[in-house]
Amino acid sequence: MSTGLRERKKEATRRSLHDAAVRLALEHGVENVTVEAIADAAFVSRRTFSNYFASKEQALFHRDRTQVASLVAHVRARPDDEPPVRALLHAAERMRAESAERDRDAGRDGETGRGGDTERGGGTRRAVDGKQYQELRQHPALLRELAATYTAIERDLASALEPRLPAGPDAALHARMLSASFLALLRVCGQEALENPDRDPLDLLRQAMELTSQGTS
């Protein structure tokens, strides 16, 4: 099996486990979901679950980590002399396109009955409503994991932004502030797009960044 195919199969398994975890949490409540139940719903063994996630909370936040890992990778891939804000916008465009493609692939897998890992038979994946997922992320039982996830994400993005900023003793702090601000804008614009489906998230992001710039000038 080629490396590319192997990695796609692994990501399909992660996505299947994530989707199962979210569905079960929505149906039964976060506190009532177990790792064993997630593994059963995704048609894999408990051991397979442990190969991909350390806890049910990690499985629930897989979508967040995947999307922002894509953002960080695209920021790093932008030309070295590109200003950080422009690099962030271009990276967000690519992240959005990849997320839409993953959602289309997941929909096709659900229609054809393909799961990620089929140890116990062919699994199916049903699309999880974005608004429901956003509400689930705010559950009190998940706030600690949410904070830890976004602290790590913020640091990763800051490390990608720092080389684009003027060198100096405050460069690291500047990068953390820019990273935190941009992630907050992504969250706000994503929520706005869910509440107003006719609004394009990228257009909202551009507008929000312009408003933020005006407010600090």
Side-chain angles (χ1 to χ4, degrees), residues 71 74 78 82 85-95:
L71 177 73
H74 287 304
R78 298 301 301 171
E82 188 171 57
V85 171
R86 189 173 301 170
L88 283 167
L89 279 172
H90 283 299
E93 290 171 358
R94 291 297 306 140
M95 179 185 72

Side-chain angles (χ1 to χ4, degrees), residues 20-96:
V22 172
R23 286 196 304 272
L24 290 171
L26 289 171
E27 292 169 5
H28 305 293
V30 174
E31 301 93 335
N32 300 317
V33 176
T34 65
V35 166
E36 289 77 12
I38 296 171
D40 286 344
F43 299 95
V44 302
S45 68
R46 172 67 171 78
R47 180 176 180 182
T48 295
F49 178 97
S50 299
N51 288 338
Y52 290 93
F53 298 112
S55 65
K56 68 180 183 183
E57 290 82 7
Q58 282 193 7
L60 284 165
F61 285 114
H62 174 62
R63 182 186 303 188
D64 295 73
R65 287 192 297 273
T66 298
Q67 289 182 340
V68 183
S70 168
L71 177 73
V72 172
H74 287 304
V75 167
R76 295 188 189 279
R78 298 301 301 171
D80 293 341
D81 60 348
E82 188 171 57
V85 171
R86 189 173 301 170
L88 283 167
L89 279 172
H90 283 299
E93 290 171 358
R94 291 297 306 140
M95 179 185 72
R96 173 70 176 168

